[in-house]
């Protein structure tokens, strides 16, 4: 096993605290595995005194396998685990807890649902999407616990001022069930160590050397437990990259890593500064972006690969054209012999990939998508447009009438539509003594007949402007306290997708295929030769030869809800993580229009260039810009 100078220094570190800054592709897993072996072989540390903590079971398993290879497949009792796993083992030992005491995700949702519908809980809100509300509440409860925060001081975006009462009821009922949730494992472990010095001392003697991977993702409670556990020797070896701290929504705080030197003034700091993954252009370009962040450790990182690497930026008209472009490029790469499992498409939010997933399925390009995305046509807006166009195609099913009869409001009653097939003449008979209603029915029939034979794009425009669906959506947003822009984004995405279909029947056939598509596209990532579609968060720790970043416009990345400087910096870190997944080719796509509005290219894309805006209107290869510094970069590398 050959190590570079920085890796060698990290591996040979002796006693006391040490922080290793490990940039993307810098071989941190190998370094940690070699460090464990060195502790055992050179410093004669007993294997059972070594604790290795990371954030996922997959990462812990990979670390364990790598260590076994270094040790020649010897089975040594080093402890590998996640924060939650290790802390729960401590709680099991102290309190006799079992897996039955853990509140499952399903139980947690049921408990919150019960509280929301309880007379004990005061609320004045309409629940539009219960599943989304429960998911957001679960995240907020976790955020409060992971930060060690008082619920009274937490500003909830989900339920507002009633959050403290909801939190109190949740905790009361959880305790009555004799259950702990996932986040309680951390809180209870911290409480145990603070109250029982004898128990803390036992675990300090058990784990004299602690190694932590992905340290930038640590939250406040995890860190407080870790500091107690490491005393009094403080043999704490932490590895991470503050530039890749992207889990603020889970409580991760980059300032913990940035403040490590203050907590441990004698800590050694080592930078793993060689990227073995990406070409020179990709390394230099991504560094150019992240350098705009102020709250970070400055770093100079060099590419080990001799290849230049390629960065391309494409400005597309809208999300429909973006989907066509990416699909076409993937088909081209496949024809040229590239493996699909070396291609990934990354996006800020799962909804950004809806249209692309549809097009890839249509073109027979196999893909896996970790985050399941509801079809846009299952959204109530999608259902409304489908119903209008089914009626325009001559269908008269009762369900289509019920779906749109009061969108916009016509004051029609479901009682007027009793039969499975509804005729306009039947509606007139029902309202025969109400002249104003007869006028509304006539207008509705004329609108439906006007759309007969139209292209689907023309029909959707007619529904929006002439029938008044846009006005209906604005009123709906106001009455239900829903973000109007988000509704119109969905509407415009559907409208953009109709452009390529000549007839309403063609579009409806396409929609039915999308709605009823089998879920076999959702295959495990390692099962077959498939393209990976995933969020930028989900791509962390992975690498691909070719990476497409889609939706790289203002409001997409940085995300529209990011307003504060610290939020923008986290969005920039997220873009940096996504860009550094690419080994040879990084293709960035920006739709110039989304939700019917002009969307300028992301500021992060412009930061890739020597000067903002140096790419052309139709995109281009910017390798030549980074080529200016390539020789200097390679010369520095040779001198190392």
């Amino acid at each position: 096993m050959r190590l570079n100078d920085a890796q060698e220094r990290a591996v040979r570190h002796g006693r006391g605290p040490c922080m290793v800054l490990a940039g993307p592709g810098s071989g941190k897993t190998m370094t940690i595995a070699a460090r464990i072996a060195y502790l055992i072989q050179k410093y004669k540390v007993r294997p059972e005194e070594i604790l290795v903590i990371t954030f996922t079971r997959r990462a812990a398993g990979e670390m364990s396998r790598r260590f076994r290879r270094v040790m020649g497949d010897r089975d040594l009792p080093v402890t590998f685990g996640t924060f939650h796993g290790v802390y729960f083992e401590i709680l099991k030992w102290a309190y006799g807890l079992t897996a039955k005491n853990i509140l499952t995700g399903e139980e947690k949702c049921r408990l919150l649902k019960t509280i929301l519908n309880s007379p004990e809980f005061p609320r004045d809100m309409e629940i539009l999407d219960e599943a989304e509300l429960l998911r957001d509440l679960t995240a907020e409860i976790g955020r409060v616990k992971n930060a060690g925060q008082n619920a009274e001081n937490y500003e909830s975006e989900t339920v507002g001022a009633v959050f403290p009462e909801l939190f109190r009821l949740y905790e009361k009922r959880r305790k009555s069930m004799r259950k702990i949730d996932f986040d309680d494992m951390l809180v209870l472990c911290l409480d145990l160590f603070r109250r029982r010095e004898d128990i803390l001392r036992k675990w300090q003697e058990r784990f004299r050397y602690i190694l932590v991977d992905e340290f930038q993702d640590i939250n406040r409670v995890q860190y407080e437990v870790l500091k107690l556990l490491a005393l009094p020797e403080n043999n704490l070896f932490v590895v991470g990259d503050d530039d890749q701290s992207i889990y603020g929504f889970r409580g991760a705080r980059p300032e913990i890593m940035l403040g490590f030197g203050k907590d441990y003034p004698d800590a050694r700091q080592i930078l793993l500064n060689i990227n073995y993954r990406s070409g020179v252009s990709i390394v230099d370009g991504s560094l150019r972006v992240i350098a705009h962040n102020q709250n970070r450790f400055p770093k100079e990182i060099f590419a080990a690969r001799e290849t230049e690497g390629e960065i391309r930026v494409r400005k597309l008209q809208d999300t429909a054209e973006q989907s066509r472009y990416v699909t076409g490029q993937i088909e081209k790469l496949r024809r040229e012999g590239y493996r699909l499992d070396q291609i990934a498409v990354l996006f800020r939010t799962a909804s950004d990939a809806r249209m692309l997933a549809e097009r890839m399925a249509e073109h027979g390009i196999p893909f896996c998508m970790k985050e399941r995305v509801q079809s846009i046509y299952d959204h109530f807006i999608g259902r409304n447009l489908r119903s209008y166009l089914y009626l325009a195609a001559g269908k008269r099913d009762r369900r289509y009438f019920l779906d749109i009869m009061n969108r916009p409001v016509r004051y029609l009653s479901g009682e007027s539509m009793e039969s499975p097939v509804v005729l306009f003449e039947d509606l007139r008979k029902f309202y025969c003594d109400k002249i104003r209603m007869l006028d509304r029915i006539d207008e509705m029939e004329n609108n439906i007949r006007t759309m007969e034979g139209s292209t689907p794009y023309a029909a959707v425009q007619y529904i929006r402007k002439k029938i008044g669906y846009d006005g209906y959506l604005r009123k709906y947003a106001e009455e239900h306290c829903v973000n109007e822009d988000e509704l119109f984004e969905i509407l415009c995405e559907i409208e953009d997708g109709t452009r390529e279909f000549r007839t309403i029947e063609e579009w409806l056939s396409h929609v039915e295929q999308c709605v009823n598509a089998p879920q076999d596209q959702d295959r495990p990532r390692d099962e077959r030769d498939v393209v990976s579609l995933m969020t930028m968060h989900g791509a962390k720790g992975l690498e691909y030869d070719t990476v497409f970043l889609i939706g790289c416009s203002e409001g997409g990345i940085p995300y529209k809800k990011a307003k504060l400087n610290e939020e923008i910096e986290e969005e920039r870190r997220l873009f940096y993580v996504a860009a550094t997944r690419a080994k040879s080719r990084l293709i960035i796509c920006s739709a110039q229009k989304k939700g019917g509005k002009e969307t300028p290219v992301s500021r992060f894309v412009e930061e890739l260039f020597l000067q903002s805006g140096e790419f052309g209107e139709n995109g281009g290869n910017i390798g030549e810009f980074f080529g200016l510094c390539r020789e200097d970069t390679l010369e520095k590398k040779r001198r190392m």
Side-chain angles (χ1 to χ4, degrees), residues 487-551:
L487 295 180
F488 277 94
E489 277 188 17
I490 292 170
L491 177 59
C492 292
E493 183 176 332
I494 296 173
E495 181 183 66
D496 290 341
T498 62
R499 291 177 184 268
E500 60 191 279
F501 297 94
R502 293 172 298 173
T503 68
I504 288 174
E505 288 76 14
E506 283 182 9
W507 182 76
L508 289 170
S509 175
H510 161 77
V511 169
E512 292 305 320
Q513 285 180 348
C514 294
V515 171
N516 300 314
Q519 298 302 321
D520 60 355
Q521 298 287 357
D522 193 20
R523 290 188 278 261
R525 188 176 296 112
D526 57 355
E527 185 179 313
R528 279 196 285 275
D529 187 23
V530 298
V531 178
S532 294
L533 270 61
M534 68 187 81
T535 62
M536 295 176 177
H537 285 100
K540 188 158 178 294
L542 303 175
E543 60 181 42
Y544 300 89
D545 186 74
T546 299
V547 171
F548 292 85
L549 304 186
I550 63 172

Side-chain angles (χ1 to χ4, degrees), residues 411-465:
Y411 302 100
L412 289 168
S413 167
E415 295 178 1
S416 65
M417 305 172 184
E418 291 296 335
S419 61
V421 176
V422 177
L423 302 177
F424 284 104
E425 196 55 42
D426 294 334
L427 296 179
R428 291 189 184 93
K429 288 177 183 178
F430 186 87
Y431 290 107
C432 61
D433 58 342
K434 295 181 174 62
I435 295 175
R436 185 170 292 182
M437 291 302 298
L438 290 175
D439 289 341
R440 291 187 179 115
I441 293 167
D442 288 343
E443 182 182 17
M444 183 180 182
E445 182 176 17
N446 287 335
N447 286 333
I448 297 299
R449 296 200 183 282
T450 299
M451 290 187 288
E452 292 177 359
S454 298
T455 64
Y457 179 72
V460 171
Q461 287 195 313
Y462 185 85
I463 294 166
R464 293 185 62 180
K465 308 303 180 185

Side-chain angles (χ1 to χ4, degrees), residues 332-360:
K332 180 182 177 185
L333 289 171
R334 182 160 63 168
R335 287 194 301 270
E336 292 173 356
Y338 286 89
R339 287 181 56 85
L340 293 182
D341 61 6
Q342 283 301 306
I343 301 173
V345 183
L346 310 183
F347 32 86
R348 177 60 179 84
T349 63
S351 60
D352 293 335
R354 278 189 300 225
M355 191 173 289
L356 175 62
E358 288 177 14
R359 180 162 288 276
M360 289 178 66

Side-chain angles (χ1 to χ4, degrees), residues 52-61 63 81-84 211-214:
V52 185
I53 307 180
T54 188
F55 282 82
T56 67
R57 282 182 291 183
R58 182 180 68 83
M63 191 73 71
T82 64
F83 276 101
H84 290 88
L211 297 87
V212 183
D213 188 21
E214 303 287 6

Side-chain angles (χ1 to χ4, degrees), residues 354 358 374-390 400 403-404 407 460 463 469 472-473 487 489-495 498 507-508 511-512 515:
R354 278 189 300 225
E358 288 177 14
Q374 181 187 32
S375 170
I376 196 170
Y377 305 113
D378 279 332
H379 189 278
F380 82 82
I381 295 174
R383 292 197 308 270
N384 291 167
L385 295 180
R386 287 162 62 192
S387 294
Y388 266 116
L389 268 66
Y390 269 117
Y400 302 140
D403 196 40
I404 55 89
R407 297 187 175 191
V460 171
I463 294 166
Y469 193 77
Y472 161 76
L473 276 189
L487 295 180
E489 277 188 17
I490 292 170
L491 177 59
C492 292
E493 183 176 332
I494 296 173
E495 181 183 66
T498 62
W507 182 76
L508 289 170
V511 169
E512 292 305 320
V515 171

